[in-house]
Amino acid sequence: TQLLEQSPQFLSIQEGENLTVYCNSSSVFSSLQWYRQEPGEGPVLLVTVVTGGEVKKLKRLTFQFGDARKDSSLHITAAQPGDTGLYLCAGAQGNNDMRFGAGTRLTVKP
Amino acid sequence: DVKVTQSSRYLVKRTGEKVFLECVQDMDHENMFWYRQDPGLGLRLIYFSYDVKMKEKGDIPEGYSVSREKKERFSLILESASTNQTSMYLCASRPGGAYYGYTFGSGTRLTVV
């Protein structure tokens, strides 16, 4: 059983559509991070959220940390083919290091 | 550009061989990590290190060991490779402190035959 459950596991959409992916847990996290991984590369950090209810925006990407700090969502507006990749969430409990979810594999078709 | 460099992109080894995976970072980060990534399982933490000559077990340390003799270098050792260790191995580093993100290497895809 994963500490962090990500959904959906796979998502295939057309360019221009909006989408939301989710990262859920029964545990409370002191911080949560989102990464994007492209084929043949390591994950690259997108954002860190640390406060319950926090919302951060990165161009067309909006990240939200749940009020109880147990879950998070990533919303992409007007998806583009360049958004294609594996989106991973990772959570830290206290000073312990990050544990990762299994990821959402996003494909954006032109 | 800051970097985490893994010595090999692809490796093929035979069952029972001793395998060394090397990782070097140029950012003077205190913390270094080894993960393996398998489809549907995400990244699983094998070992990590907070300082030179220090090591801590992660979630799946069995069959692995590590070495950190210098701050910039963190090596993962498979003492006797087995087919169930076929995987993508990712090295990462980050500064000390709770909220810093990881910088990952490009990964080593290891196949044990």
Side-chain angles (χ1 to χ4, degrees):
Chain A
T1 304
Q2 295 272 354
L3 181 63
L4 287 158
E5 298 287 341
Q6 290 192 243
S7 62
Q9 190 175 357
F10 299 96
L11 186 58
S12 181
I13 61 171
Q14 293 294 134
E15 182 175 1
E17 292 184 12
N18 302 332
L19 67 113
T20 303
V21 298
Y22 300 92
C23 175
N24 295 300
S25 178
S26 57
S27 301
V28 176
F29 295 102
S30 57
S31 66
L32 194 139
Q33 295 176 342
W34 285 91
Y35 292 78
R36 181 169 70 211
Q37 184 178 20
E38 298 186 15
E41 298 297 329
V44 175
L45 178 69
L46 296 174
V47 76
T48 301
V49 286
V50 300
T51 305
E54 183 176 2
V55 177
K56 281 193 174 179
K57 293 193 174 184
L58 184 65
K59 297 184 181 178
R60 294 176 294 100
L61 278 61
T62 302
F63 304 87
Q64 185 160 7
F65 200 13
D67 291 341
R69 305 206 318 275
K70 293 183 178 181
D71 55 81
S72 181
S73 63
L74 159 59
H75 181 79
I76 301 179
T77 303
Q80 299 176 359
D83 295 327
T84 293
L86 179 68
Y87 288 82
L88 295 158
C89 67
Q93 296 178 295
N95 291 324
N96 291 336
D97 284 284
M98 290 288 181
R99 296 298 188 270
F100 284 79
T104 292
R105 189 165 297 281
L106 171 65
T107 302
V108 182
K109 301 175 185 176
Chain B
D1 236 2
V2 294
K3 266 191 173 176
V4 174
T5 303
Q6 294 184 232
S7 53
S8 304
R9 291 299 296 265
Y10 300 94
L11 275 179
V12 180
K13 296 292 182 180
R14 294 196 179 276
T15 301
E17 278 193 74
K18 191 169 186 175
V19 181
F20 294 86
L21 303 182
E22 306 287 347
C23 175
V24 177
Q25 51 100 358
D26 64 0
M27 297 163 283
D28 201 35
H29 286 169
E30 291 83 1
N31 304 329
M32 297 189 74
F33 307 84
W34 276 105
Y35 287 87
R36 63 177 284 178
Q37 184 175 26
D38 300 288
L41 297 177
L43 277 71
R44 291 181 290 166
L45 182 61
I46 304 171
Y47 267 98
F48 57 102
S49 169
Y50 289 137
D51 203 349
V52 175
K53 297 194 184 293
M54 292 183 65
K55 60 183 179 183
E56 300 284 344
K57 292 181 179 180
D59 298 325
I60 52 163
E62 296 79 18
Y64 303 94
S65 62
V66 290
S67 172
R68 193 166 181 201
E69 297 296 318
K70 294 184 177 182
K71 189 176 185 179
E72 67 270 19
R73 187 179 296 270
F74 193 35
S75 303
L76 180 69
I77 304 154
L78 286 66
E79 297 289 342
S80 178
S82 63
T83 55
N84 63 13
Q85 291 178 310
T86 291
S87 186
M88 169 68 85
Y89 289 87
L90 289 163
C91 175
S93 72
R94 70 172 176 84
Y99 303 136
Y100 288 102
Y102 292 77
T103 301
F104 281 89
S106 296
T108 297
R109 185 163 294 282
L110 173 67
T111 302
V112 182
V113 298

Short mmCIF file of all heavy atoms in Angstrom, two decimals, chain B residues 4 9 12 19 25 27 35 38 43 48 52 56 58-60 66 69-71 76 83 87 95-96 102 104 106 108:
data_model
loop_
_atom_site.label_atom_id
_atom_site.label_comp_id
_atom_site.label_asym_id
_atom_site.label_seq_id
_atom_site.Cartn_x
_atom_site.Cartn_y
_atom_site.Cartn_z
N VAL B 4 23.41 16.59 -10.85
CA VAL B 4 23.65 15.29 -10.25
C VAL B 4 23.96 14.36 -11.41
O VAL B 4 23.13 14.21 -12.33
CB VAL B 4 22.43 14.80 -9.46
CG1 VAL B 4 22.66 13.38 -8.96
CG2 VAL B 4 22.14 15.74 -8.29
N ARG B 9 24.09 5.35 -17.96
CA ARG B 9 22.66 5.43 -18.28
C ARG B 9 22.05 4.04 -18.37
O ARG B 9 20.90 3.83 -17.98
CB ARG B 9 22.45 6.16 -19.61
CG ARG B 9 22.78 7.62 -19.59
CD ARG B 9 21.92 8.41 -18.61
NE ARG B 9 20.51 8.41 -18.96
CZ ARG B 9 19.93 9.38 -19.67
NH1 ARG B 9 20.61 10.41 -20.10
NH2 ARG B 9 18.64 9.32 -19.94
N VAL B 12 24.00 -3.68 -18.07
CA VAL B 12 23.51 -5.05 -18.08
C VAL B 12 24.51 -5.89 -17.30
O VAL B 12 25.71 -5.88 -17.62
CB VAL B 12 23.36 -5.60 -19.51
CG1 VAL B 12 22.85 -7.04 -19.47
CG2 VAL B 12 22.41 -4.73 -20.33
N VAL B 19 27.74 -5.07 -8.27
CA VAL B 19 27.46 -3.94 -9.14
C VAL B 19 27.63 -2.64 -8.36
O VAL B 19 27.16 -2.52 -7.21
CB VAL B 19 26.02 -4.00 -9.71
CG1 VAL B 19 25.76 -2.82 -10.64
CG2 VAL B 19 25.79 -5.32 -10.44
N GLN B 25 27.46 14.86 -7.17
CA GLN B 25 26.74 16.14 -7.24
C GLN B 25 27.73 17.28 -7.04
O GLN B 25 28.69 17.16 -6.28
CB GLN B 25 25.60 16.19 -6.21
CG GLN B 25 25.98 15.84 -4.79
CD GLN B 25 26.20 17.02 -3.87
OE1 GLN B 25 26.10 18.18 -4.28
NE2 GLN B 25 26.49 16.73 -2.60
N MET B 27 26.80 20.49 -6.07
CA MET B 27 26.08 21.59 -5.43
C MET B 27 26.42 21.72 -3.95
O MET B 27 25.80 22.51 -3.24
CB MET B 27 24.57 21.35 -5.59
CG MET B 27 24.14 21.35 -7.05
SD MET B 27 22.52 20.62 -7.30
CE MET B 27 22.90 18.89 -7.17
N TYR B 35 17.08 6.00 -4.95
CA TYR B 35 15.74 5.45 -5.13
C TYR B 35 15.78 4.44 -6.28
O TYR B 35 16.61 4.53 -7.18
CB TYR B 35 14.75 6.54 -5.54
CG TYR B 35 14.36 7.52 -4.45
CD1 TYR B 35 15.12 8.65 -4.22
CD2 TYR B 35 13.22 7.31 -3.69
CE1 TYR B 35 14.76 9.56 -3.24
CE2 TYR B 35 12.85 8.21 -2.70
CZ TYR B 35 13.61 9.33 -2.49
OH TYR B 35 13.25 10.23 -1.52
N ASP B 38 9.98 1.67 -10.29
CA ASP B 38 9.37 0.57 -11.01
C ASP B 38 7.94 0.95 -11.38
O ASP B 38 7.25 1.62 -10.59
CB ASP B 38 9.36 -0.69 -10.14
CG ASP B 38 10.76 -1.12 -9.74
OD1 ASP B 38 11.48 -1.61 -10.63
OD2 ASP B 38 11.15 -0.94 -8.57
N LEU B 43 8.65 5.81 -6.83
CA LEU B 43 10.03 5.82 -6.36
C LEU B 43 10.07 5.27 -4.94
O LEU B 43 9.34 5.75 -4.07
CB LEU B 43 10.58 7.24 -6.35
CG LEU B 43 11.12 7.81 -7.66
CD1 LEU B 43 10.00 8.07 -8.64
CD2 LEU B 43 11.91 9.07 -7.40
N PHE B 48 19.84 6.57 2.24
CA PHE B 48 20.18 7.97 2.15
C PHE B 48 21.30 8.30 3.12
O PHE B 48 21.65 7.48 3.99
CB PHE B 48 18.95 8.86 2.37
CG PHE B 48 18.24 8.66 3.67
CD1 PHE B 48 18.42 9.54 4.71
CD2 PHE B 48 17.35 7.61 3.84
CE1 PHE B 48 17.73 9.38 5.91
CE2 PHE B 48 16.66 7.43 5.03
CZ PHE B 48 16.85 8.32 6.07
N VAL B 52 28.99 12.94 5.23
CA VAL B 52 30.05 12.01 4.83
C VAL B 52 30.14 10.89 5.86
O VAL B 52 30.06 11.11 7.07
CB VAL B 52 31.39 12.77 4.73
CG1 VAL B 52 32.53 11.80 4.44
CG2 VAL B 52 31.32 13.84 3.68
N GLU B 56 21.78 5.88 6.18
CA GLU B 56 20.54 5.47 6.83
C GLU B 56 19.77 4.58 5.88
O GLU B 56 19.71 4.86 4.67
CB GLU B 56 19.68 6.68 7.19
CG GLU B 56 20.32 7.67 8.13
CD GLU B 56 20.32 7.17 9.56
OE1 GLU B 56 19.57 6.22 9.86
OE2 GLU B 56 21.09 7.73 10.36
N GLY B 58 16.60 3.16 3.97
CA GLY B 58 15.30 3.62 3.55
C GLY B 58 14.26 2.53 3.72
O GLY B 58 14.33 1.73 4.66
N ASP B 59 13.34 2.46 2.78
CA ASP B 59 12.24 1.50 2.90
C ASP B 59 12.58 0.12 2.36
O ASP B 59 11.97 -0.87 2.77
CB ASP B 59 11.01 2.04 2.16
CG ASP B 59 10.53 3.35 2.76
OD1 ASP B 59 10.61 3.50 4.00
OD2 ASP B 59 10.08 4.23 2.00
N ILE B 60 13.53 0.04 1.43
CA ILE B 60 13.84 -1.26 0.80
C ILE B 60 15.36 -1.47 0.72
O ILE B 60 15.93 -1.61 -0.35
CB ILE B 60 13.20 -1.38 -0.60
CG1 ILE B 60 13.55 -0.17 -1.48
CG2 ILE B 60 11.68 -1.53 -0.49
CD1 ILE B 60 13.30 -0.43 -2.96
N VAL B 66 25.63 1.05 0.67
CA VAL B 66 26.05 2.34 0.12
C VAL B 66 27.37 2.75 0.73
O VAL B 66 27.82 2.22 1.76
CB VAL B 66 25.00 3.45 0.39
CG1 VAL B 66 23.74 3.23 -0.44
CG2 VAL B 66 24.69 3.56 1.88
N GLU B 69 32.19 8.35 1.02
CA GLU B 69 33.51 8.71 1.50
C GLU B 69 33.81 10.18 1.31
O GLU B 69 34.64 10.76 2.02
CB GLU B 69 34.58 7.86 0.81
CG GLU B 69 34.47 6.37 1.11
CD GLU B 69 34.70 6.07 2.58
OE1 GLU B 69 35.62 6.65 3.18
OE2 GLU B 69 33.92 5.28 3.16
N LYS B 70 33.17 10.79 0.32
CA LYS B 70 33.32 12.23 0.07
C LYS B 70 31.94 12.86 -0.04
O LYS B 70 30.98 12.18 -0.43
CB LYS B 70 34.11 12.48 -1.22
CG LYS B 70 35.55 12.03 -1.16
CD LYS B 70 36.28 12.40 -2.44
CE LYS B 70 37.74 12.01 -2.34
NZ LYS B 70 38.49 12.40 -3.57
N LYS B 71 31.84 14.13 0.27
CA LYS B 71 30.55 14.81 0.32
C LYS B 71 29.84 14.75 -1.02
O LYS B 71 28.61 14.62 -1.09
CB LYS B 71 30.73 16.28 0.74
CG LYS B 71 29.43 17.01 1.03
CD LYS B 71 29.71 18.40 1.54
CE LYS B 71 28.42 19.10 1.95
NZ LYS B 71 28.69 20.46 2.47
N LEU B 76 26.00 3.35 -4.71
CA LEU B 76 25.08 2.25 -4.37
C LEU B 76 25.72 0.95 -4.84
O LEU B 76 26.20 0.86 -5.97
CB LEU B 76 23.73 2.46 -5.07
CG LEU B 76 22.67 1.39 -4.82
CD1 LEU B 76 22.18 1.44 -3.37
CD2 LEU B 76 21.49 1.57 -5.77
N THR B 83 17.82 -10.93 -10.39
CA THR B 83 16.94 -10.43 -11.46
C THR B 83 15.87 -9.48 -10.91
O THR B 83 15.43 -8.59 -11.64
CB THR B 83 16.27 -11.61 -12.19
OG1 THR B 83 15.61 -12.45 -11.24
CG2 THR B 83 17.31 -12.45 -12.95
N SER B 87 15.82 -2.62 -12.63
CA SER B 87 15.02 -1.44 -12.32
C SER B 87 15.72 -0.21 -12.85
O SER B 87 16.86 -0.24 -13.33
CB SER B 87 14.85 -1.32 -10.80
OG SER B 87 13.96 -0.26 -10.45
N PRO B 95 19.86 20.23 -0.25
CA PRO B 95 20.50 20.85 0.92
C PRO B 95 19.86 20.35 2.21
O PRO B 95 18.75 19.78 2.19
CB PRO B 95 20.22 22.34 0.72
CG PRO B 95 19.81 22.49 -0.69
CD PRO B 95 19.16 21.21 -1.09
N GLY B 96 20.50 20.57 3.34
CA GLY B 96 19.89 20.31 4.63
C GLY B 96 18.72 21.24 4.84
O GLY B 96 18.68 22.33 4.29
N TYR B 102 14.41 18.04 -4.18
CA TYR B 102 15.48 17.16 -4.64
C TYR B 102 15.93 17.58 -6.04
O TYR B 102 15.13 17.99 -6.87
CB TYR B 102 14.99 15.73 -4.75
CG TYR B 102 14.66 15.05 -3.46
CD1 TYR B 102 13.49 15.31 -2.77
CD2 TYR B 102 15.52 14.09 -2.93
CE1 TYR B 102 13.19 14.65 -1.59
CE2 TYR B 102 15.22 13.42 -1.76
CZ TYR B 102 14.05 13.71 -1.11
OH TYR B 102 13.77 13.07 0.06
N PHE B 104 17.54 15.51 -9.06
CA PHE B 104 17.76 14.12 -9.46
C PHE B 104 18.76 14.02 -10.60
O PHE B 104 18.87 14.92 -11.44
CB PHE B 104 16.46 13.48 -9.95
CG PHE B 104 15.53 13.06 -8.85
CD1 PHE B 104 14.59 13.94 -8.34
CD2 PHE B 104 15.59 11.78 -8.32
CE1 PHE B 104 13.72 13.57 -7.32
CE2 PHE B 104 14.72 11.39 -7.30
CZ PHE B 104 13.80 12.28 -6.80
N SER B 106 19.85 11.63 -14.03
CA SER B 106 19.04 11.13 -15.15
C SER B 106 18.70 9.66 -15.03
O SER B 106 17.92 9.14 -15.83
CB SER B 106 19.78 11.37 -16.47
OG SER B 106 19.93 12.75 -16.69
N THR B 108 19.94 5.43 -13.91
CA THR B 108 20.64 4.28 -14.49
C THR B 108 19.65 3.15 -14.64
O THR B 108 19.06 2.71 -13.65
CB THR B 108 21.82 3.81 -13.60
OG1 THR B 108 22.78 4.85 -13.50
CG2 THR B 108 22.45 2.55 -14.16
#
